[in-house]
Amino acid sequence: MNSRPLVVTIGECMLELVRRDDGLLRPGYAGDTFNTAVYLKRGAPKAQVAFASAIGGDDLSDGLARAAADEALRTDLLWRHPTRTIGLYLVHTDSHGERSFTYYRDRSAARDCFTAAYPRHIDDAIASADLAYLSGITLSTLTADARTRLLNALRRTRDSHGHIAFDLNYRPRGWDNPAAARNAVASFLPWVTIALTSAEDELALWGDTVDETIDRYRRTGAEEVVVKHGPGDTVLATADQVRRFPVRRVGQPLDTTGAGDSFNGAYLAARLNGEPPDKAVHTAARCAAEVIMVPGAIVPRHHTATA
Ligand code: ADP
């Protein structure tokens, strides 16, 4: 791998509004593949990390582009949609500390990624990446034709020996029905080389045990499979072995939002830095353990051990 590898993460970032105790809304920017890009860049500062998505021409979109630039992400793969803007979601916390989310994203700019107006240079950047990263959420936001176009770009990534990392991140509300999700995901699996998934999501979509999850990703060609399971053991499968890693207890988590995304970013950064997969699991778990002890998906920079 070259000394300044190109990583492209693909997906949607939204305005996040968190209701505070005093009733006011605290704004931020978050989205699974964006969060992963942030932690990846923090963990592997030499890598060029670009976030491929779509935003609008308004202030909120400018804020998102600034948030990405503040994290030293490349913003040249953020297409400015001529008429739409970014999606948003509200985070409510009830009196028992349970969080719920309300989304306003059905007509977000990102829904038009990889449609006719979306610039072709973004496909070319993905095709030339050393590592492309996407999730099941990315796929759920795209039309069938857009998914086909993205798949073609990823085929080219693989043709030039780039890696493709994938987290299932199955969110039923993003899909018409589970069969639609299974079909869409299945068409991408043959191109995935690094699967970073969660036992809960695989069970929800495929009814899999962890062993079945590993077999399925291996059968379609993944070289590394990491199955996260919250505070339960993390399982790593490489070509020749399957190993379980207990998760170190860190006390009662404050907010697990972004735990999996940060794990993925730190894992991929560690791999780019030359760490072997088993060491990368430890690095990733350390990062995720910090994320669950602060509110929100993105830990302020001065908190982060991997920064
Ligand atoms: P996802 O967000 O993808 O569902 P998980 O909930 O499985 O991800 O968590 C991702 C990682 O975060 C775990 O593999 C683990 O390293 C860490 N983690 C999650 N919950 C805890 C916890 N209670 N204590 C310590 N680490 C945790």
Side-chain angles (χ1 to χ4, degrees):
M1 184 143 329
N2 70 50
S3 62
R4 295 211 64 216
L6 172 62
V7 182
V8 181
T9 79
I10 306 152
E12 179 172 17
C13 183
M14 288 161 283
L15 180 70
E16 177 194 65
L17 295 171
V18 182
R19 192 172 289 287
R20 304 188 318 192
D21 291 345
D22 61 7
L24 292 177
L25 296 170
R26 180 177 54 80
Y29 292 98
D32 65 338
T33 53
F34 175 78
N35 305 340
T36 296
V38 166
Y39 289 103
L40 206 160
K41 178 68 183 176
R42 289 184 185 184
K46 286 203 183 121
Q48 310 173 62
V49 182
F51 178 52
S53 189
I55 60 178
D58 58 327
D59 283 1
L60 293 176
S61 300
D62 288 348
L64 192 160
R66 257 196 318 277
D70 285 350
E71 292 287 347
L73 301 180
R74 262 178 54 176
T75 57
D76 55 314
L77 306 185
L78 284 177
W79 174 54
R80 296 276 188 169
H81 195 293
T83 54
R84 295 186 178 192
T85 185
I86 57 173
L88 72 83
Y89 66 101
L90 293 168
V91 184
H92 318 262
T93 309
D94 70 14
S95 52
H96 306 289
E98 285 295 319
R99 288 157 59 89
S100 59
F101 302 87
T102 310
Y103 290 92
Y104 303 85
R105 67 193 298 196
D106 289 351
R107 289 188 45 79
S108 67
R111 301 258 154 182
D112 272 355
C113 285
F114 304 101
T115 58
Y118 199 62
R120 291 275 165 188
H121 78 86
I122 300 180
D123 305 53
D124 295 339
I126 292 168
S128 69
D130 296 284
L131 170 65
Y133 175 80
L134 73 159
S135 74
I137 296 177
T138 311
L139 301 184
S140 75
T141 61
L142 301 177
T143 62
D145 285 349
R147 283 199 291 263
T148 303
R149 179 170 154 188
L150 172 58
L151 192 59
N152 284 331
L154 294 170
R155 273 203 191 110
R156 289 163 59 205
T157 317
R158 284 294 302 281
D159 285 347
S160 45
H161 307 291
H163 276 280
I164 295 167
F166 176 76
D167 187 343
L168 177 61
N169 265 349
Y170 176 53
R171 302 291 178 269
R173 74 166 86 80
W175 297 96
D176 289 341
N177 53 61
R182 281 193 289 270
N183 282 336
V185 168
S187 62
F188 279 77
L189 293 186
W191 311 100
V192 172
T193 56
I194 304 174
L196 303 168
T197 189
S198 90
E200 202 183 339
D201 292 349
E202 297 288 344
L203 176 68
L205 184 61
W206 302 98
D208 271 359
T209 63
V210 170
D211 289 342
E212 286 165 344
T213 294
I214 289 170
D215 281 349
R216 199 160 36 71
Y217 281 106
R218 276 178 158 171
R219 266 203 310 278
T220 53
E223 297 156 18
E224 283 167 51
V225 184
V226 180
V227 186
K228 297 158 281 174
H229 200 184
D233 289 358
T234 306
V235 183
L236 166 70
T238 47
D240 49 348
Q241 56 177 347
V242 176
R243 293 178 60 188
R244 305 183 79 88
F245 297 85
V247 170
R248 243 187 55 222
R249 297 285 151 160
V250 290
Q252 184 60 29
L254 184 71
D255 175 5
T256 56
T257 309
D261 307 333
S262 65
F263 183 103
N264 297 350
Y267 181 90
L268 294 169
R271 297 290 288 124
L272 290 175
N273 292 337
E275 290 182 24
D278 55 340
K279 193 146 178 278
V281 168
H282 287 300
T283 304
R286 264 201 314 278
C287 178
E290 278 190 60
V291 171
I292 63 175
M293 299 313 276
V294 297
I298 308 229
V299 179
R301 289 188 70 83
H302 58 272
H303 273 284
T304 312
T306 50

